[in-house]
Amino acid sequence: EAVIGETLVRATRGAVDRPDLAKSIRTPPSGMANDALETEPLIVWAETRIGLTDDHIPHRRKPRTLSEAALKLADESGEPVPDCLAALEYALSMASMPENLRGGPSDRAFLAYKLHQYLSGPDSLYATLGPEDERTIRFDKQKTDPEAEARLFEVRFCRKCGQDYHPVRAVPDGAGRRYIPRSIDEEALDDDDETGFLCRAAGLPFEGEQDLPSSWLEETANGSIRVKRTYRERVPFQVSVDPQGIEGSGLGMWFMKGKFSLCLRCGDTPPGQGRDRNRLSGLSAEGRSSATTILNSVALEEMETAEAGRSKLLTFTDNRQDAALQAGHFNDHIFVTKLRAAIFAAVREAGSGGLAGRYFGDAVRRALGYAWSNEDSHEEWLRDDVRGRKATEAEVLLSRIIAHRVWTDQRRGWRFTNPNLEDLDLVRVEYAMLPPAPV
């Protein structure tokens, strides 16, 4: 008796009959104030069939999907299911808008509803060994493809160019070898066990040792070039593999033994330390924080674009540590995105003439719109109301701060036309559009 529950009160009045409900579906309500929505058949049906029970003291009904609700609405109205689904979606969205956007006096919504959407990223991608336009690709993990009767291998991608690779284990099979799928971080079981990666040879610029990176090669005493001892076992070699993974016939592929150390398309050579999972990306490489940040930022952007009144988003989490992490991640994502967009805009504005390093901070500041002449931006970068010489000093100081953040953020994304120069102010730079570093 000490537990205080909730008391629910209907927002609508009366009941609905079949003809009125069907008419309301064919002509969904629009531009109605709250008083008119109280007896609108489709709104009444939504509250009494989806929201609340018919008991003397109303209770919440069990949640259901929109598709299930549309089926029930079609059964009770006699209208087609697609029409019922469209009308229901429209009616719920309209009733949840502030009344002053529907021709009424107040800023209150008439009918609040909760729409739950459960999102989860795919674990990985799996494909058969075959030509690019003929292989089978699946999202569900299983040993073989039931349609092609071929073995499925996990697919991983180069983080620089997107070239796909299959992590495999090579095991003896009669007079030859068989390649079987393995988890990307699964290591060799013993000295006789070989783990590595398969990659389709068709369409690749890599043709053999002559295409190895210079860091893998050395010059001998007689002037010839050879592969360094530490890389000899990692040199890729060509094999033919059938759809079951048996070597000897089938598709031409490159096999690289050991950890992933060279992309055969772009030539990227990741550092030796670390796991292959971090060197090669899966289909779903983002973490929970990144996914939440992207979903929230897109939702806020859509709300701003729609001009639906107050644009606020409330996010719940189960512990304060996760809330602190997510808040910092969100702020950092917005900051980095805005900064890099301004960098790109500044470089594009400079045109083919390029942009000297000493002018980057000022150019990016102007691209952001942070100028004393732009009064709308003052609250974003000025603490006090300054004028004259103080305003000029504030712009110069902000340009220096932004320049520091530019070089810090892009330390992996700039290519200098003359890397021997030490004075960055004298360096003409070319902006390389590289993917952002993972947070």
Side-chain angles (χ1 to χ4, degrees):
E1 63 273 12
V3 177
I4 301 175
E6 63 179 354
T7 302
L8 303 175
V9 179
R10 279 186 57 181
T12 59
R13 294 182 287 107
V16 295
D17 55 22
R18 189 182 182 95
D20 291 340
L21 184 58
K23 181 180 179 181
S24 183
I25 293 172
R26 291 192 294 268
T27 309
S30 62
M32 291 185 174
N34 287 347
D35 293 343
L37 289 180
E38 290 182 1
T39 56
E40 173 61 30
L42 188 54
I43 302 299
V44 174
W45 184 93
E47 184 182 34
T48 57
R49 296 294 191 274
I50 301 177
L52 304 178
T53 64
D54 297 329
D55 302 331
H56 176 68
I57 300 178
H59 295 85
R60 297 182 188 271
R61 291 185 183 271
K62 290 184 178 180
R64 64 177 64 189
T65 65
L66 278 171
S67 299
E68 294 172 348
L71 287 174
K72 185 175 181 63
L73 179 58
D75 180 61
E76 298 188 16
S77 65
E79 296 296 309
V81 175
D83 294 348
C84 291
L85 179 60
L88 188 58
E89 290 178 348
Y90 175 80
L92 289 174
S93 300
M94 185 271 300
S96 66
M97 295 170 58
E99 187 184 19
N100 52 25
L101 296 180
R102 295 181 275 107
S106 72
D107 61 352
R108 296 185 58 187
F110 177 74
L111 194 64
Y113 68 94
K114 294 180 180 179
L115 182 63
H116 295 266
Q117 187 175 21
Y118 297 94
L119 303 167
S120 61
D123 178 28
S124 192
L125 196 68
Y126 303 88
T128 57
L129 300 181
E132 186 174 6
D133 56 345
E134 297 180 7
R135 59 180 177 170
T136 301
I137 299 176
R138 292 189 173 273
F139 294 96
D140 51 330
K141 185 177 182 180
Q142 51 185 322
K143 291 184 177 180
T144 59
D145 175 45
E147 298 179 2
E149 297 183 354
R151 187 181 288 271
L152 287 167
F153 293 78
E154 184 180 4
V155 184
R156 309 289 293 194
F157 304 94
C158 172
R159 290 184 177 271
K160 295 293 184 182
C161 68
Q163 176 61 39
D164 53 293
Y165 295 89
H166 301 291
V168 296
R169 181 187 304 279
V171 297
D173 185 72
R177 295 191 302 179
R178 177 193 294 266
Y179 297 95
I180 60 175
R182 69 174 176 93
S183 174
I184 188 168
D185 284 325
E186 184 179 345
E187 298 182 354
L189 300 177
D190 50 49
D191 294 339
D192 297 329
D193 189 19
E194 287 188 355
T195 59
F197 296 87
L198 284 175
C199 179
R200 295 189 320 278
L204 289 179
F206 186 85
E207 296 181 357
E209 289 191 10
Q210 66 272 20
D211 294 321
L212 291 174
S214 58
S215 59
W216 286 35
L217 306 175
E218 63 181 359
E219 185 177 357
T220 63
N222 60 8
S224 61
I225 302 298
R226 68 181 180 185
V227 180
K228 294 180 180 178
R229 182 184 300 273
T230 54
Y231 293 107
R232 289 174 188 171
E233 289 191 356
R234 304 184 190 181
V235 176
F237 58 88
Q238 265 196 305
V239 295
S240 296
V241 186
D242 69 9
Q244 298 299 331
I246 300 176
E247 183 179 299
S249 63
L251 185 69
M253 307 192 80
W254 290 100
F255 176 67
M256 294 181 291
K257 183 180 177 181
K259 290 189 174 183
F260 181 79
S261 52
L262 172 65
C263 177
L264 304 184
R265 178 171 294 278
C266 67
D268 179 52
T269 54
Q273 67 275 13
R275 301 188 303 167
D276 283 331
R277 183 177 299 275
N278 298 327
R279 297 187 179 98
L280 293 173
S281 172
L283 180 63
S284 178
E286 82 286 345
R288 182 175 60 180
S289 295
S290 298
T292 304
T293 292
I294 294 297
L295 290 171
N296 286 347
S297 60
V298 172
L300 287 170
E301 183 179 1
E302 291 292 331
M303 292 164 67
E304 290 288 343
T305 304
E307 298 181 356
R310 295 167 295 180
S311 298
K312 294 184 179 180
L313 182 67
L314 186 62
T315 303
F316 293 91
T317 185
D318 56 358
N319 62 76
R320 66 182 65 186
Q321 291 86 355
D322 191 49
L325 171 67
Q326 189 62 55
H329 189 283
F330 187 84
N331 289 335
D332 183 71
H333 170 82
I334 298 300
F335 171 80
V336 171
T337 302
K338 192 171 183 178
L339 177 65
R340 292 181 179 177
I343 293 172
F344 180 72
V347 174
R348 184 173 57 184
E349 179 68 22
S352 59
L355 187 63
R358 69 179 69 183
Y359 302 124
F360 249 92
D362 189 61
V364 173
R365 175 185 62 79
R366 285 186 278 106
L368 287 167
Y370 295 160
W372 183 82
S373 58
N374 182 10
E375 296 184 1
D376 293 338
S377 71
H378 285 186
E379 62 180 13
E380 296 187 40
W381 66 282
L382 279 175
R383 185 183 64 183
D384 302 320
D385 184 16
V386 295
R387 296 181 181 277
R389 188 170 63 107
K390 289 290 185 180
T392 303
E393 292 177 352
E395 287 184 343
V396 172
L397 179 59
L398 182 61
S399 295
R400 292 176 179 176
I401 295 173
I402 291 177
H404 170 74
R405 296 310 300 256
V406 166
W407 298 116
T408 301
D409 179 74
Q410 297 298 317
R411 61 188 181 275
R412 296 175 57 189
W414 295 99
R415 292 185 314 199
F416 297 96
T417 55
N418 189 342
N420 296 322
L421 291 178
E422 296 181 357
D423 186 359
L424 294 182
D425 284 341
L426 299 179
V427 177
R428 308 282 290 184
V429 297
E430 176 187 359
Y431 188 59
M433 291 303 295
L434 299 179
V439 178

